Amino acid sequence: MKILTIVGARPQFIKAATVSRIIRANPAVHEILLHTGQHYDENMSDVFFRELNIPIPDYNLEVGSGSHAEQTGSMLKGIEKVLLKEKPDWTLVYGDTNSTLAGAITSTKLHIPVAHVEAGLRSFNRAMPEEINRIVTDSISDLLFAPTNTAIKNLANEGLAGITHFTGDVMYDSVLYYKEWIELDPEKYKTAGIPEKYLLATIHRAENTDNPENLRNIFRAFSRLGQEIVLPIHPRTRKILRSAVTLPENVHIIDPVGYLQMMKLTMDATKVLTDSGGLQKEAYFLQKQCVTMRTETEWIETLHDDWNIITGSAPELIEKAAGSPHPTAPLQQGFGNGKSAEIILEKLLRF
Ligand code: UD1
Ligand code: UDP
């Protein structure tokens, strides 16, 4: 069986690393890897391939940055050529980026079945580009791999139960697997030159970076918190930051880091403040309280007992959440058993 895996953005490299490792261990499957080139900086792309032993992509479309239409349009053209040449049995797409959308549309129009990993996530906020990407991708895919029961319910509500399978979350698999690597040599993954005690923050969502008021509010909150904050900065945020805000002294901006270093940063942080989808879950899996600077989350399983607190960008809400006691309640199950990738492969082979 031939599978064409399509990735393009940072969180997809991390998800594909885990699934591709399992796929490639099965001699009955031949995986072709296509990188759209949506993310291209060394520290947004190559570092993940190198560190996580992801095979070098067979194709890199090098589409780069642009408006939604420019970026997605270039991907459609490039992916179509590869699909026509490779004629895979399955196209495998991940998450909710423009690379996901382009992969699903191109493949389905060529009558090549599409399987979507991380299907069924919904914020119910159609102003998010990711929400549009998810809804379209799920509605045209042939096989939907749902990471949580909430995702299962969302897909059932959209009439997609017949093609939906619970797999668990591949990012949970990733945390379990790579945590062992870090524990073997923790010093290797430590970030130099940062404070001993810190809050870990990331910001990159369009709703925060494209709205200077939201960004200013977030940094106002950071300043008021007074604690040291380490912020590995997404290039999108770096671009806007200088013109939009005055950086408080307690905020330490660092370049984006690799996944293993990021996981170590999370493990050593007091708490996490973020608008990232992936980092909310990693904080939960690693038992760090998370403050989510968005108005909603797709990962509602993380919200119990204040493990994850939704604040939007209002400074007083961020401050209150960051000051709340660290939860002691046990984590609830709900993201599978750490074998999501095996389940995905088994379904692909069966269908
Ligand atoms: C994309 C995804 C988002 C995901 C995020 C993960 C879409 C619509 N959004 O958002 O769902 O959470 O990736 O990080 O697909 N840039 C660089 N170098 C790079 C990559 C980006 O400088 O290697 C800059 C460019 O100025 C670019 C901007 O970041 O215009 C945004 O990049 P883009 O891939 O369009 O969206 P993300 O915000 O990264
Ligand atoms: N991440 C990373 N280095 C960083 C920031 C984030 O490796 O400097 C990882 C993070 O641990 C998570 C993934 O990138 O696994 C999340 O990606 P991002 O926040 O860019 O996208 P989202 O998950 O919101 O789509």
Side-chain angles (χ1 to χ4, degrees):
M1 188 175 70
K2 195 188 222 184
I3 298 175
L4 187 109
T5 295
I6 297 181
V7 293
R10 173 165 73 186
Q12 295 167 330
F13 308 140
I14 294 158
K15 293 164 199 171
T18 291
V19 179
S20 292
R21 192 181 70 248
I22 301 300
I23 288 179
R24 288 179 188 237
N26 186 320
V29 185
H30 175 45
E31 184 187 44
I32 308 279
L33 190 59
L34 182 154
H35 186 334
T36 62
Q38 177 170 352
H39 286 174
Y40 45 86
D41 289 348
E42 208 286 325
N43 54 23
M44 292 294 289
S45 176
D46 290 4
V47 65
F48 300 98
F49 286 80
R50 201 173 50 243
E51 264 193 345
L52 308 181
N53 298 330
I54 309 172
I56 295 169
D58 300 277
Y59 299 92
N60 189 328
L61 304 181
E62 297 183 352
V63 299
S65 306
S67 70
H68 284 277
E70 283 165 350
Q71 194 178 53
T72 313
S74 305
M75 290 177 192
L76 292 173
K77 282 195 203 166
I79 294 171
E80 186 177 62
K81 281 198 190 107
V82 175
L83 284 170
L84 285 170
K85 182 170 163 224
E86 294 290 349
K87 298 186 177 56
D89 300 296
W90 279 106
T91 297
L92 194 57
V93 296
Y94 289 87
D96 54 18
T97 72
N98 289 346
S99 299
T100 318
L101 177 73
I105 292 179
T106 322
S107 189
T108 204
K109 286 219 166 181
L110 293 172
H111 307 259
I112 296 167
V114 181
H116 183 204
V117 177
E118 214 178 72
L121 274 284
R122 297 290 181 270
S123 63
F124 303 101
N125 173 2
R126 290 205 179 198
M128 279 180 86
E130 292 84 359
E131 183 76 352
I132 308 300
N133 293 345
R134 295 172 190 138
I135 292 170
V136 176
T137 302
D138 286 338
S139 70
I140 60 178
S141 289
D142 298 272
L143 206 44
L144 299 174
F145 295 135
T148 59
N149 280 328
T150 307
I152 296 265
K153 280 188 206 132
N154 291 339
L155 293 167
N157 289 340
E158 293 174 25
L160 296 167
I163 55 167
T164 298
H165 300 270
F166 178 82
T167 56
D169 184 6
V170 295
M171 288 192 90
Y172 181 49
D173 298 19
S174 296
V175 166
L176 294 181
Y177 183 80
Y178 292 111
K179 194 164 162 251
E180 287 186 11
W181 285 22
I182 296 166
E183 281 164 353
L184 282 176
D185 191 357
E187 286 304 310
K188 183 172 167 191
Y189 301 106
K190 267 197 158 172
T191 299
I194 59 163
E196 186 84 5
K197 191 163 180 264
Y198 61 90
L199 304 168
L200 177 65
T202 74
I203 309 162
H204 78 279
R205 287 279 158 207
E207 71 207 58
N208 288 327
T209 56
D210 295 1
N211 180 333
E213 197 43 39
N214 282 2
L215 205 59
R216 271 195 285 275
N217 276 336
I218 289 172
F219 279 88
R220 220 167 268 148
F222 285 1
S223 168
R224 285 199 214 157
L225 285 174
Q227 303 173 57
E228 305 292 345
I229 297 178
V230 174
L231 171 55
I233 196 158
H234 190 290
R236 176 188 197 111
T237 317
R238 189 188 282 282
K239 269 194 163 176
I240 185 87
L241 197 62
R242 268 180 227 292
S243 57
V245 301
T246 315
L247 201 62
E249 275 182 13
N250 61 321
V251 178
H252 304 260
I253 302 273
I254 60 172
D255 285 334
V257 297
Y259 176 71
L260 301 170
Q261 200 179 330
M262 188 64 185
M263 204 194 291
K264 179 73 176 137
L265 275 171
T266 309
M267 289 159 88
D268 292 347
T270 322
K271 293 186 185 189
V272 171
L273 298 105
T274 192
D275 58 10
S276 159
L279 188 56
Q280 281 177 64
K281 288 181 291 167
E282 286 160 357
Y284 182 75
F285 302 147
L286 296 167
Q287 304 204 33
K288 297 289 167 176
Q289 189 177 41
C290 184
V291 176
T292 295
M293 300 177 294
R294 286 180 47 197
T295 48
E296 69 281 307
T297 181
E298 300 79 21
W299 302 103
I300 60 172
E301 288 77 3
T302 60
L303 295 175
H304 71 92
D305 298 298
D306 280 353
W307 277 107
N308 188 6
I309 305 175
I310 306 292
T311 61
S313 58
E316 58 285 359
L317 294 183
I318 297 174
E319 222 182 328
K320 184 163 172 251
S324 66
H326 202 281
T328 49
L331 302 187
Q332 289 172 4
Q333 295 301 313
F335 294 89
N337 60 2
K339 300 270 178 222
S340 312
E342 281 86 344
I343 299 172
I344 287 169
L345 176 60
E346 187 256 313
K347 302 281 178 211
L348 288 171
L349 288 166
R350 175 132 56 99
F351 292 97

